[in-house]
Amino acid sequence: MIGFFDRLSRPFLRALDPEDAHALAIKALRYMPVVRASADDDALAVRAFGLKFPNPIGLAAGFDKNAQVPDALLRLGFGFVEVGTITPRAQTGNPRPRLFRLDADQGVINRLGFNNDGAAAVHARLVARRNAGGIVGVNIGANRDSPDRTEDYARLIETFSTVASYFTVNVSSPNTPGLRDLQQGKALDDLLARVIDAREKIRQRAGLTPVLLKIAPDLTLPDLDDVVGVARKRGIDGMIVGNTTISRPGSLRERDRAREQGGLSGRPLFKLATRMLAETFVRAENAFPLIGVGGIDSGATAIAKIKAGATLLQLYTALVYRGIGVVTEIKSDLTAALKRGHRNSLASMVGIDAAAITAESWPG
Ligand SMILES: Cc1cc2nc3c(=O)[nH]c(=O)nc-3n(C[C@H](O)[C@H](O)[C@H](O)COP(=O)(O)O)c2cc1C
């Protein structure tokens, strides 16, 4: 049934302006009855950050920026949903057009710039679904014109304390000028100190909410050394690797579109993001688990991410090209891979290829 709806709607959605298509997809999820995906195989369950995920496939940030449809997405089979990025105050983002499909490459370029309804509106929606269950992470960022970006992150942690299953500190969007500078050693150390402090403040009412750091795949390896070092020192619970890339691989076929400014996601991001994941895994030395993101669109790419070091996975762009059915497909491929390998959980596969991947030539 899900597949049928999906096959019917995708060609239609793809004919529209990408941003209108996205708005329509959110509307459909909001108002149409969603059939619940079948229950997950127990072997796909993952324990991480003190949470139990029914399956490892999460929806990456940016699809449900304003927490309008997290429960519909959970019912469709995602193991967790990350809403946001949310900033303290609402903002409109960059002028349109700001979202571009690279159809021949199965990629997307976006320069949305944290368009969102702001903390108060999103908080009210999450309060309204508080008892619905399921893992809903809250991805937080700073307002473009904020006089104190660090303060924005701390404030958002306090605001969302009782409704977030986990927080993602997003310092890796390429579309807010200067935001990625927060990944630099001293700035990151100050930011994470403030964030962990804010988490301590809410501990009484919220318990120990996990805090994850989402990084760019464009960091240099010396920068990555610093980032992982600071994350470990500050006791961060995990990292998400990673966000979209400002690089443009030489293999891109949609050369004109590729010149659009913004972050590239989807299939052309897979190699770079997987390399950065493996590089992060070898540096983290099991201090915390990693979420692998970037170009996952099949069982094979999901398994490659796990072997490169991902305990959990997220995807977004595959929904544009493969539709929601991709989630069920990946889950059955993971179950089949476990059976074939006589394994009873995914944990034993995590990072088994990481060292080998870091020895390969750099993806171009
Ligand atoms: C249209 C669009 C909007 C996005 N918005 C956000 C965002 O607000 N915050 C964020 O952390 N990542 C955002 N991302 C990045 C995704 O969460 C993800 O890291 C990236 O797209 C790579 O995964 P994918 O190749 O599966 O799409 C966005 C991606 C896209 C395509």
Side-chain angles (χ1 to χ4, degrees):
M1 180 60 196
I2 293 170
F4 178 69
F5 170 72
D6 212 31
R7 274 194 297 280
L8 215 76
S9 59
R10 247 181 308 139
F12 169 66
L13 287 174
R14 292 262 297 280
L16 297 178
D17 163 82
E19 209 170 329
D20 292 340
H22 178 256
L24 206 64
I26 295 278
K27 227 179 220 154
L29 289 168
R30 236 175 120 179
Y31 296 113
M32 291 173 68
V34 167
V35 185
R36 186 178 289 277
S38 36
D40 290 322
D41 189 326
D42 285 344
L44 293 184
V46 174
R47 282 182 188 280
F49 329 119
L51 301 171
K52 187 176 176 199
F53 298 76
N55 75 71
I57 319 294
L59 177 67
F63 182 86
D64 191 9
K65 280 181 187 276
N66 295 309
Q68 290 172 291
V69 288
D71 296 304
L73 291 159
L74 289 168
R75 276 200 299 277
L76 285 170
F78 281 107
F80 61 113
V81 169
E82 188 168 310
V83 300
T85 296
I86 300 154
T87 56
R89 282 170 291 111
Q91 42 177 55
T92 52
N94 291 319
R96 285 175 75 166
R98 52 191 182 175
L99 184 57
F100 308 90
R101 279 194 307 258
L102 282 68
D103 287 341
D105 303 298
Q106 303 215 0
V108 163
I109 290 176
N110 93 81
R111 52 168 180 269
L112 295 171
F114 288 171
N115 53 315
N116 77 108
D117 294 345
V122 178
H123 179 252
R125 281 182 204 126
L126 291 177
V127 167
R129 55 91 44 208
R130 185 188 272 161
N131 299 320
I135 297 178
V136 177
V138 175
N139 180 307
I140 55 176
N143 276 115
R144 186 187 170 102
D145 60 356
S146 168
D148 183 350
R149 288 184 165 170
T150 304
E151 168 66 18
D152 280 12
Y153 290 90
R155 187 139 51 98
L156 288 163
I157 287 192
E158 292 183 36
T159 304
F160 287 95
S161 61
T162 59
V163 291
S165 304
Y166 68 86
F167 286 106
T168 296
V169 175
N170 178 13
V171 285
S172 48
S173 166
N175 302 314
T176 295
L179 192 84
R180 284 183 167 196
D181 296 346
L182 289 172
Q183 295 176 121
Q184 300 299 323
K186 171 85 175 78
L188 184 66
D189 194 39
D190 288 348
L191 172 65
L192 295 186
R194 284 287 290 283
V195 159
I196 293 298
D197 202 40
R199 195 258 302 265
E200 280 306 310
K201 273 200 204 144
I202 63 166
R203 196 171 175 160
Q204 282 267 304
R205 62 192 132 105
L208 203 61
T209 313
V211 172
L212 317 182
L213 178 69
K214 183 168 180 179
I215 62 167
D218 303 316
L219 289 172
T220 63
L221 293 181
D223 282 346
L224 185 64
D225 290 340
D226 289 351
V227 167
V228 176
V230 171
R232 290 178 66 168
K233 176 179 132 197
R234 290 292 171 194
I236 288 298
D237 299 282
M239 283 175 59
I240 305 186
V241 188
N243 217 310
T244 55
T245 179
I246 55 169
S247 70
R248 298 290 182 264
S251 56
L252 285 175
R253 289 157 69 190
E254 301 255 12
R255 299 212 162 259
D256 287 344
R257 279 279 161 84
R259 276 194 280 276
E260 291 291 350
Q261 247 192 34
L264 173 68
S265 59
R267 196 171 277 182
L269 171 60
F270 179 77
K271 279 200 178 127
L272 175 65
T274 306
R275 175 62 179 260
M276 286 303 278
L277 174 67
E279 297 283 356
T280 307
F281 182 82
V282 298
R283 287 164 175 75
E285 297 173 311
N286 290 316
F288 42 63
L290 306 177
I291 302 184
V293 203
I296 298 172
D297 62 359
S298 62
T301 48
I303 291 167
K305 284 279 191 216
I306 294 170
K307 290 184 173 173
T311 294
L312 292 161
L313 308 168
Q314 286 179 329
L315 58 82
Y316 179 164
T317 304
L319 291 181
V320 177
Y321 293 102
R322 307 285 325 281
I324 190 74
V326 74
V327 178
T328 311
E329 180 193 309
I330 293 174
K331 288 193 291 187
S332 27
D333 285 359
L334 290 179
T335 306
L338 286 174
K339 288 216 173 91
R340 263 198 320 276
H342 305 289
R343 299 172 191 268
N344 52 17
S345 83
L346 296 167
S348 60
M349 277 200 273
V350 174
I352 57 175
D353 287 349
I357 292 171
T358 61
E360 290 171 3
S361 59
W362 196 261

